[in-house]
């Protein structure tokens, strides 16, 4: 609290203060419930590129760690990879939304994701008072990978085979925030580019996380002009059949239920373009996105 001689008696200011107090009280039971639990947060979209949103995300992550939640961040960086590839004269090609990754491209992926992108996120979170540590899937074999099923078309694109949970648990026990670049390694030392959504899901399952939260440019599952606050598996199947869940939301929904079926308690999809959407989704009764839940 600021030390001042006078107190503002403006009714509008009093109303704002009361609203802030109510939000804090509303957050209290959630803080108690989630203390000591693990959240895996996939960080992508506009929240990674716009300064105002980047800072808000870093503040949110810092607060989660300060109230006792173990936070593991898995980040994307496709735009940065494409920019570096263009500068190096490498052609970028996608098949079914996944980057074709040959020997030269995997070097760009490693250099970009595990390098500048990763360290910029670590620096930003650290600047807000938390202790973040950059991790690529190669460090301590954090992500052991195998070629994806479409490897004949995609090259060095992999899937999560196993996760070094002991290493990540040690970092969390030290009150550090692992910031993971989704580059994996196989048993022969080959590197793989792993889709950040898939990496986050695999890590959440391995850590038996309380929540997996996707921070993207999508508000959630939209039905007409409304965002559905909660969707169970049978409801999602009906919505897909009706065409309400369509396009890129279909694989996100199917991935969410695969994650839930593997033991993660809840999966959330929130819009990173909304300032502090992470805190609003976790610590308020109404939330701001869509949560995927078991039946």
């Amino acid at each position: 609290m600021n030390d001042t001689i006078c107190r503002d008696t403006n009714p509008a200011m009093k109303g704002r203060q009361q609203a802030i107090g109510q939000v804090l009280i509303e957050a209290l039971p959630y803080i108690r419930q989630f203390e000591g639990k693990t959240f895996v947060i996939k960080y992508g979209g506009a929240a990674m590129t716009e300064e105002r949103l980047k800072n808000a995300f870093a503040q949110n992550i810092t607060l989660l760690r300060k109230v006792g939640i173990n936070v593991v961040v898995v980040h994307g960086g496709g735009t940065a990879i494409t920019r570096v590839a263009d500068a190096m004269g490498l052609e970028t090609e996608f098949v079914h939304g996944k980057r074709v990754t040959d020997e030269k491209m995997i070097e760009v992926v490693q250099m970009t994701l595990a390098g500048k992108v990763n360290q910029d996120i670590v620096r930003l979170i650290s600047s807000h008072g938390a202790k973040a540590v950059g991790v690529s899937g190669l460090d301590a074999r954090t992500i052991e990978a195998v070629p994806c099923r479409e490897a004949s078309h995609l090259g060095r694109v992999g899937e999560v085979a196993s996760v070094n949970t002991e290493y990540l648990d040690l970092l969390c026990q030290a009150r550090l925030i692992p910031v993971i670049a989704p580059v994996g390694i196989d048993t022969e030392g080959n590197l793989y580019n792993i889709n950040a959504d898939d990496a986050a899901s695999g890590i959440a399952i391995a850590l038996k996380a309380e929540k997996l939260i996707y921070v993207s440019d999508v508000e959630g599952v939209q039905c007409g002009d409304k965002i559905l606050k909660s969707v169970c598996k049978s409801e999602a199947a009906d919505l897909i059949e009706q065409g309400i869940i369509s396009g890129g939301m279909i694989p996100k929904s199917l991935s969410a239920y695969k994650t839930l079926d593997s033991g993660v308690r809840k999966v959330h999809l929130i819009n990173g373009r909304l300032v502090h959407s992470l805190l609003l989704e976790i610590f308020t009764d109404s939330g701001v996105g869509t949560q995927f839940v078991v039946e």
Side-chain angles (χ1 to χ4, degrees), residues 36-254:
K37 300 295 177 62
T38 298
F39 291 2
V40 175
I41 300 170
K42 187 270 176 167
Y43 178 40
M48 283 190 68
T49 58
E50 296 181 22
E51 287 301 320
R52 176 178 63 102
L53 299 177
K54 286 162 60 176
N55 277 288
F57 177 80
Q59 289 171 335
N60 289 189
I61 292 295
T62 299
L63 192 148
L64 292 178
R65 178 59 269 186
K66 294 294 185 182
V67 299
I69 295 169
N70 298 317
V71 182
V72 177
V73 177
V74 181
H75 64 82
T79 301
I81 295 170
T82 299
R83 186 166 56 247
V84 172
D86 289 345
M88 296 177 64
L90 299 178
E91 182 179 350
T92 296
E93 181 184 356
F94 291 90
V95 175
H96 302 306
K98 295 185 177 180
R99 185 184 303 270
V100 176
T101 307
D102 59 15
E103 296 296 328
K104 290 183 178 180
M105 188 61 76
I106 192 63
E107 292 182 4
V108 174
V109 170
Q110 181 186 10
M111 175 176 62
T112 307
L113 281 190
K116 180 171 173 52
V117 172
N118 183 273
Q119 291 302 296
D120 281 350
I121 298 168
V122 168
R123 175 183 54 79
L124 190 62
I125 294 173
S126 298
S127 72
H128 287 282
K131 294 179 180 178
V133 57
V135 178
S136 84
L138 314 183
D139 298 325
R141 303 186 76 88
T142 296
I143 302 176
E144 194 162 292
V146 293
C148 71
R149 281 165 287 186
E150 305 94 340
S152 59
H153 305 293
L154 294 172
R156 287 291 185 85
V157 175
E159 298 174 351
V160 176
S162 64
V163 175
N164 186 345
T165 56
E166 289 184 6
Y167 178 54
L168 295 179
D169 285 339
L170 281 173
L171 294 176
C172 289
Q173 288 166 17
R175 298 184 62 81
L176 299 173
I177 299 173
V179 178
I180 303 175
V183 181
I185 187 169
D186 68 12
T187 55
E188 298 178 358
N190 298 307
L191 306 187
Y192 290 89
N193 179 17
I194 301 177
N195 175 272
D197 285 1
D198 296 341
S201 173
I203 290 168
I205 291 168
L207 290 174
K208 298 179 173 59
E210 177 77 12
K211 293 181 183 292
L212 168 61
I213 303 168
Y214 291 110
V215 179
S216 68
D217 293 341
V218 179
E219 293 185 17
V221 176
Q222 189 158 353
C223 183
D225 59 352
K226 295 181 179 179
I227 300 298
L228 299 181
K229 297 299 182 185
S230 185
V231 181
C232 71
K233 193 172 185 178
S234 60
E235 290 170 337
D238 290 341
L239 292 171
I240 290 172
E241 186 174 344
Q242 296 168 32
I244 294 172
I245 293 179
S246 61
M249 190 60 71
I250 293 177
K252 279 190 181 295
S253 300
L254 296 177

